[in-house]
Amino acid sequence: MALTRLNRIVQLSHTVSLTRPLHGSGCGLQLGAATQTEAPMESPRAVFRTSESEPASHGEQHIGQFYTIPPSQVKTIFPHGLPYRFQQQIKTFNEACLMVRKPALELIGYLKKADPTHPSVRYVLYGERGTGKSLSLCQALHHCSLQDWLILHVPDAHLWVKNCKELMASSYHRARFDQPIEASVWLKNFRVTNERFLKQIKTSQKYVWSKREFTDEGRPLGEIVDQGVTRVKNASDAVGVVLKELKAQARPGSYRLVVGVDGVNALWGRTTLRKEDRSLIDPSELTLVHNLRKMMKNDWCGGAVIATVTQTGSVFTPSSAYLPQELLGKEGFDFLDPFLPVLVPAYSEKEFESSYQYYRDRRWIQHHTGHTEEGKKELLFLSNRNPAALERLCAFL
Amino acid sequence: MSKMAASSGRALKSFVQGCCGCSSVILPSIARNVILQKPAVTVLARLVCTSSTLQRKNIAAAGPEKYTQEFIKKQIEEFNIGKRHLANMMGEDPETFTQEGIDRAIAYLFPSGLFEKRARPVMKHPDEIFPKQRAVQWGEDGRPFHFLFYTGKQSYYSLMHDTFGKFLDIQKYQDSMRAEGLFSQDTKQVNLIGSRWMIKEELEEILVQPISDHDCLRFIQLLERILALPYCSIEEEYIQRFRRALEVQSKKQKIEPLQYDENEVAFSIGEGRRKTATATATVRDNGSGNITVNGVDYLLYFPVLQDREQLMFPFQFLDRLGKHDMECKVTGGGRSAQAGAIRLATARALLSFITENEVESMRQAGLLTPDPRVKERQKPGQEGARRKFTWNKR
């Protein structure tokens, strides 16, 4: 029953994506200009921007336009969340501009309509390399934070399964392994994002860290986070505790929780880490991964889980794989099933035009041919309307 | 008697050539002429003693072998008879048996696996096989026929003399016209478009005599001087003898006609090769710039920008960037070779869609030229094609 409902939702999303180009051709920019609050008589270059900085109020007429996130929000909501190249772009242009695109709008629409009393719905963003899955996730999280949800953002789960310098055996569970550095870094960023909630939520049981340290019942969650940050040895366990508490206390009455994981296929793939006897570690033997997996189950209500499956950064996957089925593997797919897939395609004509105008406005394209029609056609061809490819192309122009 | 003459002639020849070191045409011919025509008369009275080693060396230094007129005539008769035999063997009509037929017959009867085409068995008219040689240029008394013989390059200087004679003729004609009062500057000019002057090798072929670059240059300069005169059209056919037509390169391109598939969309197929990669490209009209390589999007197949730029080049050159769809299949080679092969295949496929001027401009841009560079073979005694082994002093 749930599967048939999901199929119909998938078909709906596909049909919506098919009708999109009909609106996007030719007079797309004027369509955006007519419904804007700004005067449409302004220079055509400014039409690709919008003054609405709340993702909640974005509608279909804003597709292809850039909205700015104020720097204060960037620092609180995304201390570690944005992709590296985008962070560099923010530093260069001195502003954080995201493009309103259909997948993000869809996701935000679902989040608005979701019923908090039902079990949390899992959304999976998938698409080819460089089409904008991470940034769509960030957009959705921005919206959630403005709606005052609690944000649990894992910027790249792949970082937890590869290139770990220090790996120690877990004190809590004998067979598992801890990753103190990654855990403490994540806790620091988590604290920055959700300062407000950490004072409100109280622990429900006593946690003993070592012979002399323990956290009582009823203490604010912020103490656990501080414990994890200061005592790096217990950081992974602190993460586990935080996740458990948040999940247990996310009821319809209290706060709403959104879990955003980028690269969720890392949790069910393979790792490159080895034990001392040179045998490979399974992801389930890592504490962080184990706890995060528990989070991904839909046995709690009052929130949502948004995940991205991505091949960039994943280990032992072919570069042509981009579907959830291929990247998650059988185990992961069964765990996450049923989920709502959201395809993130490459730029449409209108979106490409808008992105090109943005780069020109920011004087990013310096080459004189880049400003001509032929130059635009060249860029279109060479990037094949892929956002990441276009960004890398314009980087040296 | 004749034997003595022969040996003395040979001895003298060997002695002189051993001393001088330069191959002179005169002496061996004198000796042979003397032997063949008048064996009784010995022109040379002195007998010089030489050793056998000197004789052996001089055979090598004699220069290319000389063929007499009778010998060539005999070869031609043999060739004609052989041609008729061959026609009989192949079951064709001996009267209408052409050189192409001969080539086919020889290739059939003597199949050769040699790679070098010039090493394979060949049957051609003796004029094409034996190099043209000058007929004997002096009479029985030893006096040369031509008045310029003693310049050394008699054919060249006689040619210059004749050409200058024409120059003087034209000037005389000009003077006569001026005298009559019919002189005018605008006269019929010689058409020089589409042809070029002869090169040194072609001039040598005509004169049957080696000349230098400087000589060829002087001759061309003289002809240009003639062309500068207003009434040069009098000697037009003399001048045209020394010009060769230039071939129009673009006519050599084979342009496939457009084909139409079931949706009335025009498409065209092209093939291209580069290094070891072969590609087949199908270019369709009324497209939007979608390109698929081996079933995969070209952005995924060629992650490197350089390869995608190669794919873009034919379309961008013809200004048809978003107008065509393309599917290609490519195998072999590496990523750069595959990109180059697809580029050539695309260019050839696009030939069916464009005008002749655009074909010519594409050819000049180098889009239609297959790249002949292949991997050079490794030589024995070296590590690679050019790299030698590390040199050790001991």
Side-chain angles (χ1 to χ4, degrees), chain A residues 245-258:
Chain A
E245 290 292 327
L246 288 175
K247 190 163 142 178
Q249 299 186 16
R251 274 178 295 276
S254 66
Y255 59 87
R256 299 193 66 187
L257 174 65
V258 66

Side-chain angles (χ1 to χ4, degrees), chain B residues 150-164:
Chain B
Y150 286 108
T151 57
K153 300 184 260 189
Q154 67 174 51
S155 350
Y156 169 72
Y157 282 112
S158 79
L159 180 70
M160 289 290 277
H161 181 74
D162 292 334
T163 317
F164 195 68

Side-chain angles (χ1 to χ4, degrees), chain A residues 194-221:
Chain A
N194 303 305
E195 286 274 11
R196 199 170 69 79
F197 289 100
L198 291 177
K199 297 192 196 77
Q200 288 176 357
I201 306 173
K202 310 285 179 208
T203 54
S204 54
Q205 65 174 103
K206 181 171 165 178
Y207 296 104
V208 180
W209 302 114
S210 65
K211 272 196 221 135
R212 263 169 259 166
E213 286 164 15
F214 59 90
T215 313
D216 264 328
E217 192 182 319
R219 305 293 301 156
L221 211 58

Side-chain angles (χ1 to χ4, degrees), chain A residues 314-332:
Chain A
S314 73
V315 287
F316 304 110
T317 43
S319 61
S320 52
Y322 73 96
L323 296 168
Q325 175 89 27
E326 297 161 353
L327 285 170
L328 285 172
K330 189 171 175 316
E331 203 194 314

Side-chain angles (χ1 to χ4, degrees), chain B residues 158-176:
Chain B
S158 79
L159 180 70
M160 289 290 277
H161 181 74
D162 292 334
T163 317
F164 195 68
K166 305 272 183 210
F167 181 78
L168 292 174
D169 287 337
I170 296 177
Q171 277 194 327
K172 232 190 284 184
Y173 182 75
Q174 218 174 302
D175 292 334
S176 70

Side-chain angles (χ1 to χ4, degrees), chain B residues 22 37 86 94 97 99 101 115-116 132 158 164 171 195 199 206 209 248 262 287 296 334-335 349 359 368 376 392:
Chain B
C22 58
Q37 284 160 20
L86 200 59
F97 201 47
Q99 185 61 41
F115 288 118
E116 176 68 60
K132 285 221 186 87
S158 79
F164 195 68
Q171 277 194 327
S195 56
I199 47 175
I206 289 190
Q209 178 191 6
V248 183
E262 55 269 354
V296 180
R335 76 150 217 256
V359 169
L368 301 171
E376 202 176 309
N392 287 317

